Amino acid sequence: LAQRLMADPLTQNKVRSFEDLDAWKNCRALKLRVRELVRTWPKEEQYRLSDQIIRSSRSACAQIAEGFGRFYEKDNIRFCRIARGSLYETKSHLWDALDEGLIDSATHEQACALIVRALQTLNGYIKHLKTLSTRYAVSEPAPGEAEAPEQP
């Protein structure tokens, strides 16, 4: 997959690793903001809402990275869809934080804006992957057939 992304004219010379993806960068910005927010929350929230929102924000980044490492675009798309779910989970946790008085409405709006930006770029990346999967249709290996390792 990484080789096909690099060969594609839309991403050529731009994407060499998952760290180059705008979707991953935007999810990382959200993850860092969430970490800043929870540091100000009361200690009793450490193993409740704090833990949940940290995990969901980390998950979005991790799913994009894992999907990038998959050979097939359809696998990558599946992981990107899981990342999208994690972004919505994070948004729900932000509502909980607002409802519990842990953040104010301005902070909530700023964090939700980061989520919207991450969702926009992630949806664009998914759309691009769908285009690649139809352009470079590759059949799945037969059951029990080992995949050849990619050449560096």
Side-chain angles (χ1 to χ4, degrees):
L1 171 62
Q3 289 175 342
R4 287 193 296 277
L5 278 171
M6 288 185 281
D8 186 67
L10 293 174
T11 57
Q12 193 170 26
N13 298 321
K14 294 180 185 174
V15 178
R16 301 263 181 226
S17 172
F18 68 86
E19 292 106 328
D20 297 327
L21 297 170
D22 288 339
W24 184 84
K25 290 176 187 177
N26 289 328
C27 288
R28 182 173 181 249
L30 172 66
K31 176 188 72 166
L32 295 172
R33 180 65 180 128
V34 163
R35 189 70 187 132
E36 286 176 16
L37 288 176
V38 300
R39 285 186 176 151
T40 66
W41 294 358
K43 194 75 168 165
E44 64 266 10
E45 285 297 331
Q46 183 177 0
Y47 298 107
R48 297 190 308 203
L49 185 56
S50 295
D51 185 57
Q52 289 179 311
I53 196 168
I54 288 170
R55 286 173 182 268
S56 64
S57 66
R58 286 179 178 170
S59 177
C61 291
Q63 297 298 330
I64 292 169
E66 186 169 355
F68 187 87
R70 299 298 173 137
F71 184 74
Y72 300 105
E73 288 84 7
K74 289 181 181 181
D75 270 350
N76 193 342
I77 291 168
R78 182 171 56 89
F79 281 93
C80 287
R81 287 178 174 152
I82 295 168
R84 187 167 52 199
S86 294
L87 289 170
Y88 281 107
E89 180 183 356
T90 302
K91 188 173 187 177
S92 178
H93 293 319
L94 285 169
W95 277 107
D96 293 337
L98 179 66
D99 293 344
E100 295 294 324
L102 299 170
I103 59 174
D104 59 28
S105 58
T107 302
H108 179 263
E109 287 176 24
Q110 291 166 351
C112 284
L114 290 173
I115 291 173
V116 168
R117 182 72 181 134
L119 285 167
Q120 289 170 337
T121 53
L122 182 58
N123 286 333
Y125 181 50
I126 291 169
K127 184 177 179 181
H128 178 68
L129 289 171
K130 286 179 180 179
T131 301
L132 284 179
S133 71
T134 57
R135 189 181 315 158
Y136 302 108
V138 178
S139 60
E140 296 281 337
E145 182 182 319
E147 292 182 24
E150 291 188 32
Q151 299 298 318

